[in-house]
Amino acid sequence: MKMAKLTTAEFIEAIKELSVLELNELVKACEEEFGVSAAAGVVVAAAGPAEAEEEKDEFDVELTEVGPNKVKVIKVVREATGLGLKEAKEVVDGAPKVVKEAASKAEAEELKTKLEAEGAKVTLK
């Protein structure tokens, strides 16, 4: 007795009806039958959408332009980073430059607001 051949659409519909456990067993059976490993492809495919859905909770605050109030911008950078005058001046003179890495969303927004109030341009990454 010969089985009827499924169309691609019918095959996909049949796969959609499988439970996660059944799908896992199907993948393992295909790996054994055809001598391939689907692990890397499955991990990448599974990780892609999940990362996009997660809200970012750490930001790098980048000073993109100093603006007209360089001295005041240096002061804000010193307060935010704890750097000395010389080091803070080097950060500001080196713009575009990351002022603070891995800052919380609230901390990054606050620093951005303070820097923009002094005429600087800031990007959160």
Side-chain angles (χ1 to χ4, degrees):
M1 182 167 140
K2 189 173 183 181
M3 284 184 61
K5 187 173 181 181
L6 295 174
T7 66
T8 303
E10 290 170 332
F11 191 70
I12 290 173
E13 284 303 314
I15 290 174
K16 284 182 182 178
E17 294 175 14
L18 297 176
S19 69
V20 174
L21 187 59
E22 291 170 325
L23 186 56
N24 189 34
E25 290 171 1
L26 173 65
V27 169
K28 285 181 181 178
C30 288
E31 287 175 345
E32 289 173 16
E33 179 70 26
F34 300 110
V36 295
S37 174
V42 171
V43 170
V44 170
E51 289 176 9
E53 292 172 14
E54 288 180 30
E55 186 174 330
K56 192 172 178 180
D57 60 354
E58 287 189 343
F59 296 87
D60 290 346
V61 180
E62 180 182 49
L63 178 66
T64 52
E65 288 181 34
V66 177
N69 299 321
K70 183 177 176 181
V71 173
K72 291 182 180 179
V73 171
I74 292 171
K75 184 177 177 186
V76 173
V77 169
R78 285 188 68 195
E79 287 173 8
T81 61
L83 293 173
L85 179 60
K86 181 181 179 207
E87 292 82 6
K89 183 179 181 303
E90 287 172 1
V91 168
V92 172
D93 287 341
K97 185 129 178 127
V98 174
V99 175
K100 189 152 189 129
E101 294 181 347
S104 69
K105 185 174 184 177
E107 185 180 15
E109 290 288 343
E110 181 183 344
L111 180 54
K112 180 180 180 188
T113 303
K114 285 180 180 179
L115 287 167
E116 288 177 342
E118 301 302 343
K121 292 192 178 169
V122 179
T123 305
L124 299 182
K125 294 185 173 187

